[in-house]
Amino acid sequence: MTDTTFLPPLIAAIQAEILNNEEEISALDRAIGDGDHVTNLIRGLEALSKLNDELVQLDWSAAFMKIGMTLMSTMGGASGSLLGSMFVSMGKEAKEQDIDLAGITAIYAAGVESIKARGKADIGEKTMLDTLIPVMQSLQSDAEQNSDKATVLANIKAAATQGMQSTKDMLATKGRASFLGERARGHIDAGARTSQLILCVIADQLSEN
């Protein structure tokens, strides 16, 4: 794993990917959500991009903490609170871990568990967790098997994409979509889609480093 100088180009790549898919994400969110998910996410990423000079001076623990606090204060909406707490939890866990496959897996898992706790949600409820949890399980499996980097990254992308696509046929039990009942079926969850886009960009950026 590279040091935190990896973060500015990564944030820029994520920004570009979300902007490229902004219309699609907005349409997904208007169909079954509040319609503000992508706007809030773009605002959060814009705030992160202004921290580039600061982030590269920090270790991973402090950088994750800074990202989390920034997302909480700038994004708004449920996803701002959830993603913010995810990164704060990752920052706390990063103090205890080496930045190798096992350590990254533990750090990411701590973040996912914090979203589960804060959102009182789990896999199968048509949320971002339907993308995030399969990636956690993929990382845990690859860490146990000591898989090589190419395998780990390919598996992240496959797990994120399959998880995101699985939300299409689910009923929603959380958020505004839960009031739609059967009408929520046939629509991919916007948070699951943005999570998938972000995780795939991270995997691609890591493969180039």
Side-chain angles (χ1 to χ4, degrees):
M1 181 73 171
T2 53
D3 60 22
T4 52
T5 56
F6 173 65
L7 286 170
L10 176 62
I11 291 165
I14 291 170
Q15 262 187 303
E17 185 73 348
I18 296 298
L19 288 169
N20 285 344
N21 292 277
E22 182 179 2
E23 285 184 26
E24 178 211 338
I25 300 160
S26 290
L28 291 175
D29 198 27
R30 281 196 304 272
I32 59 169
D34 294 328
D36 59 355
H37 174 65
V38 76
T39 311
N40 289 339
L41 184 55
I42 289 168
R43 190 186 309 126
L45 288 166
E46 182 68 29
L48 292 184
S49 70
K50 293 174 181 170
L51 298 178
N52 284 342
D53 292 345
E54 187 177 348
L55 289 175
V56 299
Q57 306 293 328
L58 302 174
D59 64 18
W60 280 106
S61 173
F64 286 142
M65 291 273 206
K66 185 72 180 176
I67 288 168
M69 299 307 288
T70 302
L71 292 177
M72 273 189 196
S73 63
T74 60
M75 264 185 79
S79 52
S81 163
L82 293 170
L83 290 173
S85 79
M86 178 184 191
F87 277 96
V88 169
S89 296
M90 287 168 60
K92 289 175 183 170
E93 185 67 26
K95 289 177 183 169
E96 316 295 327
Q97 301 290 341
D98 294 324
I99 304 297
D100 55 12
L101 178 56
I104 291 163
T105 299
I107 291 164
Y108 176 76
V112 174
E113 291 298 333
S114 87
I115 288 187
K116 287 171 66 176
R118 183 169 278 244
K120 298 181 176 60
D122 209 331
I123 198 165
E125 296 191 88
K126 205 177 182 94
T127 72
M128 66 174 76
L129 286 169
D130 291 300
T131 298
L132 299 177
I133 291 173
V135 170
M136 178 178 76
Q137 293 166 341
S138 172
L139 278 169
Q140 288 167 336
S141 173
D142 280 332
E144 283 170 19
Q145 296 169 40
N146 208 20
S147 301
D148 63 63
K149 179 179 170 181
T151 301
V152 172
L153 298 177
N155 287 343
I156 285 172
K157 292 179 72 170
T161 301
Q162 287 165 9
M164 174 270 293
Q165 289 170 342
S166 76
T167 65
K168 185 169 187 178
D169 297 320
M170 288 177 187
L171 284 171
T173 62
K174 296 286 182 274
R176 200 173 84 84
S178 64
F179 299 113
L180 298 177
E182 286 291 336
R183 283 182 297 150
R185 285 200 209 273
H187 298 283
I188 286 167
D189 178 70
R193 175 64 167 143
T194 53
S195 298
Q196 178 256 336
L197 289 169
I198 290 167
L199 285 162
C200 287
V201 168
I202 292 169
D204 286 339
Q205 291 290 308
L206 284 168
S207 73
E208 291 168 17
N209 272 271

